[in-house]
Amino acid sequence: MGDQDKEEELRMEDLAAEMAMKSGLSQNDAEAALEAIILTMSDATERNDPVVIGDTIWEVRERQPAKKAVNPRTKEPIDIPKAKVPLFRSGKLSKDGKNGGSSR
């Protein structure tokens, strides 16, 4: 599979450039705004507060209960403790838009 087959990756600087073009902000102001948004979202999820933008939700959930597993090399049982895991849920409108459907 060649590099042509890979999806484009939207990096932070690319996102800031898009924000600057669409909002009329300078590149520096757009980068500062984007950084503030990301830090605010990170702080909220660390407090276990979900972040809802449109029909998309970012949150942290606790994976529980602790699980038992087997080490594939040694075949010894191991305990996997419960952990906090990030969760991203995209609503119907976002899913339809990404899949080429209408975003009514």
Side-chain angles (χ1 to χ4, degrees):
M1 186 184 289
D3 287 340
Q4 298 168 345
D5 298 331
K6 292 183 181 177
E7 289 187 29
E8 282 294 314
E9 190 175 84
L10 186 62
R11 297 181 182 266
M12 193 159 163
E13 54 271 9
D14 301 326
L15 188 53
E18 290 276 335
M19 288 175 58
M21 276 193 317
K22 292 180 180 179
S23 69
L25 292 172
S26 71
Q27 180 71 25
N28 287 339
D29 288 345
E31 288 174 5
L34 180 57
E35 184 68 28
I37 290 168
I38 292 169
L39 288 173
T40 302
M41 291 174 68
S42 179
D43 290 345
T45 55
E46 283 179 17
R47 292 188 311 264
N48 291 325
D49 295 338
V51 176
V52 180
I53 299 176
D55 59 348
T56 302
I57 301 171
W58 290 266
E59 62 186 319
V60 175
R61 288 212 179 146
E62 200 165 281
R63 181 185 63 208
Q64 54 182 336
K67 300 191 278 186
K68 297 264 185 209
V70 176
N71 181 323
R73 261 189 246 164
T74 65
K75 307 294 186 220
E76 301 226 356
I78 57 174
D79 292 323
I80 299 175
K82 61 182 174 180
K84 292 186 176 188
V85 293
L87 177 67
F88 168 81
R89 289 186 292 161
S90 181
K92 182 175 180 353
L93 295 177
S94 295
K95 288 178 191 172
D96 286 348
K98 181 165 175 61
N99 293 328
S102 90
S103 56
R104 288 183 263 154

